[in-house]
Amino acid sequence: MSDLNIAVIGAGAIGLTTALEVQKEFRNARVTVLAEKFNTDTTSFVAAGLFRPGTSFCGPTETITRKWINDSYHHWNDLNVTAEASLAGVTELSGYMFSKISPDIVRNSYLEGLLPIYRAATEEELSLCNGGWKYGSFFSTLLIECGLYLPWAANKFLGGNGTIETKKLSSLSELAGKYDAVINCTGLGAKYLCNDFKLVPIRGQVLKVHAPWCKTFFYAEFDTYIIPGFNSVTLGGCRQYDSFNLDICKYDYLSIQERCESLLPSIKSSPLIGQRVGLRPHRDPVRVEKEIVATPTDKLKVVHNYGHGGYGVTTAPGTSKHAVELLREILIGNSKM
Ligand SMILES: Cc1cc2nc3c(=O)[nH]c(=O)nc-3n(C[C@H](O)[C@H](O)[C@H](O)COP(=O)(O)OP(=O)(O)OC[C@H]3O[C@@H](n4cnc5c(N)ncnc54)[C@H](O)[C@@H]3O)c2cc1C
Ligand SMILES: *[C@@H]1O[C@H](CO)[C@@H](O)[C@H](O)[C@H]1NC(C)=O
Ligand SMILES: *[C@@H]1O[C@H](CO)[C@@H](O)[C@H](O)[C@H]1NC(C)=O
Ligand SMILES: *[C@@H]1O[C@H](CO)[C@@H](O)[C@H](O)[C@H]1NC(C)=O
């Protein structure tokens, strides 16, 4: 397999996690990450990075979805008990979800049974936050901060002899003949590259504030959340379906500030560090598939790994593992294997 030449397109959480998985599984292959944008310019950088697949998150079947989530959790949890954890931006984080509407909103069948603690909140805990919450759950999960994880993963990849190139692809045919296979981790970029109309942006805006005393996350109804990270606390948020607007919106800012301050008055007057907007690459289901694409000059072996919506940091390891299994399948018959 020594001459295998594999390209991974995209350098967000999905692309870099996939690139590391390819290196791990194909030790002698030459692996190249090609991407237009890196680190602070990706959607991944905007994420708070809470390990929490939403109940609507879905792969092609429930069994596959659950396997992705289980593999992902174990991957992050294994990293969390190494000396690298804080360099990679991984840590444990506990907190609450609250609802006034229904007990179902605070339950999550993907997480119950997977996380070490997932239980109903007590009466006392329900009044920790303002809002007259009727239902709540407490759970102990992980946080993966991409501001740390993306540079850590890129360095690890380079240390394993990977190559990183800055390049915007306008067509797949640019790659034909150059690689034995390509893994497509372009997030929302796939919409343009491939006219995949199932991909929809779900716009989110967040505030980053300085509140180092805040050590617990709070997640309330209507996309209001307070999530402490390594260097700041993320306040959110919103989910605007089919919006491509990457500009900061002052009405969103005011709404997030008001909702978060009313949830947790003690964060009032926490200094604002910055604001960020990202477009979650939503697709139902997330696309982890192999495909042989005919280009004008050649046939290119492609594995897709995109469309993780609001849960791409959470599910990057499991979907990447699956994508690399498909890579192995699509390469069978390759004379170099
Ligand atoms: C406000 C907000 C909060 C979030 N919070 C969480 C959270 O708490 N937990 C969680 O799990 N998820 C969260 N998410 C979701 C998460 O950010 C995404 O699911 C994840 O970032 C998707 O990763 P990705 O690698 O597919 O995409 P991206 O990070 O967008 O990376 C795509 C890469 O592909 C490259 N690319 C695209 N097109 C081309 C092209 N034509 N040529 C070359 N390169 C190309 C880009 O340059 C980039 O490098 C949040 C998202 C937002 C917006
Ligand atoms: C979850 O994943 C771990 C490690 O990847 C594995 O050992 C375990 O059997 C899996 N559990 C289930 C229920 O699939
Ligand atoms: C990287 O390449 C160098 C030179 O070819 C080699 O000595 C080294 O073992 C390689 N490292 C890894 C992690 O593959
Ligand atoms: C990504 O996937 C789409 C959908 O099939 C495809 O059209 C596009 O060319 C792919 N891009 C790359 C770089 O593989």
Side-chain angles (χ1 to χ4, degrees):
M1 294 202 254
S2 55
D3 297 318
L4 271 181
N5 210 356
I6 308 293
V8 175
I9 321 300
I14 304 303
L16 291 179
T17 307
T18 300
L20 288 176
E21 184 70 18
V22 177
Q23 268 182 342
K24 189 174 125 228
E25 292 295 316
F26 293 85
R27 292 202 177 266
N28 298 315
R30 285 169 55 197
V31 190
T32 306
V33 167
L34 298 171
E36 181 192 3
K37 291 177 177 167
F38 294 87
N39 196 12
T40 52
D41 295 328
T42 62
T43 309
S44 298
F45 183 75
V46 179
L50 191 68
F51 184 94
R52 190 193 74 91
T55 49
S56 64
F57 176 80
C58 86
T61 66
E62 176 161 352
T63 309
I64 291 174
T65 310
R66 286 189 180 272
K67 182 165 170 22
W68 287 348
I69 294 169
N70 178 59
D71 286 344
S72 297
Y73 181 72
H74 284 92
H75 176 97
W76 293 128
N77 204 37
D78 289 348
L79 186 52
N80 186 46
V81 296
T82 67
E84 294 277 279
S86 60
L87 298 170
V90 179
T91 188
E92 272 159 55
L93 186 65
S94 300
Y96 296 92
M97 261 193 102
F98 295 124
S99 166
K100 274 177 233 180
I101 296 173
S102 153
D104 297 332
I105 291 176
V106 299
R107 299 201 57 176
N108 186 315
S109 80
Y110 293 140
L111 293 179
E112 293 170 35
L114 179 63
L115 299 181
I117 305 173
Y118 198 112
R119 60 162 175 81
T122 62
E123 283 299 319
E124 212 174 17
E125 289 171 326
L126 287 176
S127 49
L128 274 174
C129 283
N130 284 347
W133 303 105
K134 277 203 182 115
Y135 310 101
S137 56
F138 172 86
F139 56 96
S140 181
T141 184
L142 297 166
L143 176 99
I144 305 96
E145 185 155 315
C146 280
L148 295 166
Y149 176 69
L150 297 176
W152 175 85
N155 275 331
K156 186 171 174 188
F157 174 71
L158 292 171
N161 285 345
T163 305
I164 298 182
E165 283 174 28
T166 306
K167 187 174 170 62
K168 182 182 168 124
L169 293 173
S170 38
S171 143
L172 204 52
S173 52
E174 295 171 40
L175 303 174
K178 294 189 185 154
Y179 298 97
D180 295 295
V182 170
I183 310 189
N184 189 354
C185 307
T186 50
L188 200 61
K191 187 174 179 93
Y192 309 103
L193 264 179
C194 48
N195 296 325
D196 182 341
F197 295 110
K198 280 191 173 174
L199 258 177
V200 180
I202 301 183
R203 181 182 176 280
Q205 180 167 327
V206 293
L207 323 185
K208 298 279 172 177
V209 301
H210 186 68
W213 44 265
C214 179
K215 303 277 189 214
T216 306
F217 74 80
F218 296 99
Y219 214 107
E221 250 151 11
F222 311 123
D223 289 309
T224 300
Y225 51 86
I226 299 172
I227 303 176
F230 282 79
N231 301 315
S232 63
V233 177
T234 301
L235 308 185
C238 55
R239 309 188 130 254
Q240 294 155 358
Y241 191 83
D242 217 0
S243 166
F244 285 90
N245 180 12
L246 275 167
D247 295 334
I248 288 165
C249 165
K250 78 171 178 191
Y251 303 107
D252 289 333
Y253 164 77
L254 292 169
S255 157
I256 292 166
Q257 190 184 44
E258 186 178 313
R259 284 181 282 129
C260 289
E261 287 182 359
S262 92
L263 182 67
L264 196 67
S266 58
I267 55 120
K268 245 180 225 166
S269 75
S270 304
L272 181 67
I273 299 171
Q275 294 199 64
R276 288 181 202 147
V277 175
L279 307 178
R280 301 170 180 95
H282 175 73
R283 190 180 189 276
D284 193 2
V286 179
R287 188 171 193 210
V288 183
E289 281 171 19
K290 57 184 174 179
E291 183 184 18
I292 296 186
V293 180
T295 72
T297 51
D298 204 354
K299 280 189 177 151
L300 188 61
K301 293 177 174 177
V302 178
V303 176
H304 301 287
N305 187 8
Y306 64 77
H308 299 65
Y311 312 106
V313 181
T314 298
T315 58
T319 51
S320 299
K321 193 171 174 208
H322 188 179
V324 174
E325 281 161 15
L326 297 180
L327 175 67
R328 196 176 287 284
E329 287 175 22
I330 205 171
L331 284 169
I332 285 178
N334 189 307
S335 55
K336 293 170 186 172
M337 278 196 70

